[in-house]
Amino acid sequence: MAIGETNARKMDDYLRAVREVAKLFQTDTVYVIGSQAILAHWPDAPKRLRLSHEIDAYPANAREWERLNPGAEASEEINALFGQGSLFEQRFGFYIDGVDDTTARFPPDWLGRAKTMKIDCEGRTITAISPSLEDTVVAKLARLDPRDREFIAEVHAARPLTIKRLLSLFTSTAPHPMLLQQAERFLAGLKG
């Protein structure tokens, strides 16, 4: 996510992604995870937090859809129609990255903190669910690649994170001890 690489994502992009996934899978619930889940909680977050070129999403009925479509993967279906290099990306300036319920590692109770929104989609009510900002940061702690580090640092600069709380949430995901040490070192080094 290089600064200036793309226009900042907006709530309209989030809603478009949810509607497209809902229509494709005829589902009433869509999960949006990853960095752009921030739009659900903080639609006017600083631009640098909304520069991702992708919105990660999956339908709640992905496993059922896959059973009805043997050999097909819901995430691959999303990527084929709305993914990187698609006509969708050319038209709207971002793409939908098809993910699934195993892509991110969240605390067991993350749904209790998730943002749930009701969205109209061609006369149907769709529920969009996104993890809280804290739980999004926790999922990023599990990888801590350079983009994750940048995102966490930018969040902390804009809205200081409670390090002890994050470590508690991260610990609840049962990370490998090396990952926990890595997360502790990274969080201890955050300015603030």
Side-chain angles (χ1 to χ4, degrees):
M1 159 174 82
I3 303 299
E5 176 181 295
T6 175
N7 292 328
R9 300 285 56 83
K10 299 176 185 82
M11 181 54 84
D12 286 348
D13 300 329
Y14 179 100
L15 297 174
R16 184 178 314 284
V18 169
R19 287 183 179 118
E20 292 298 335
V21 171
K23 287 187 286 188
L24 177 62
F25 293 94
Q26 291 299 298
T27 186
D28 293 331
T29 305
V30 175
Y31 292 91
V32 176
I33 63 172
S35 66
Q36 296 315 288
I38 198 170
L39 292 165
H41 301 274
W42 192 9
D44 61 344
K47 183 177 180 179
R48 63 190 174 273
L49 290 170
R50 298 179 288 113
L51 289 176
S52 179
H53 201 59
E54 67 193 55
I55 293 179
D56 301 332
Y58 65 93
N61 67 341
R63 301 289 180 233
E64 177 186 342
W65 183 87
E66 289 170 351
R67 277 193 300 278
L68 296 172
N69 295 275
E73 288 184 30
S75 61
E76 292 304 316
E77 190 79 5
I78 293 169
N79 292 335
L81 294 172
F82 311 119
Q84 192 168 21
S86 66
L87 292 175
F88 177 90
E89 179 186 19
Q90 292 171 23
R91 181 172 180 199
F92 298 110
F94 75 97
Y95 65 92
I96 305 171
D97 189 16
V99 295
D100 64 32
D101 59 356
T102 66
T103 300
R105 197 161 182 173
F106 296 119
D109 60 347
W110 76 274
L111 280 171
R113 290 180 296 279
K115 173 74 172 187
T116 300
M117 292 188 292
K118 300 295 183 185
I119 299 168
D120 178 69
C121 180
E122 299 178 342
R124 290 190 308 134
T125 299
I126 304 302
T127 301
I129 300 173
S130 290
S132 71
L133 184 57
E134 281 183 325
D135 291 323
T136 297
V137 168
V138 165
K140 292 189 168 297
L141 285 171
R143 283 188 342 175
L144 273 182
D145 74 14
R147 291 186 317 162
D148 296 324
R149 290 171 185 269
E150 179 184 353
F151 181 85
I152 295 168
E154 295 288 354
V155 166
H156 186 63
R159 282 192 178 171
L161 298 162
T162 304
I163 304 305
K164 187 175 180 180
R165 169 91 171 135
L166 283 176
L167 284 172
S168 174
L169 290 171
F170 186 57
T171 301
S172 75
T173 69
H176 186 280
M178 273 182 45
L179 287 177
L180 181 57
Q181 288 176 348
Q182 182 181 3
E184 288 171 337
R185 280 194 305 271
F186 174 75
L187 291 172
L190 287 178
K191 301 211 181 343

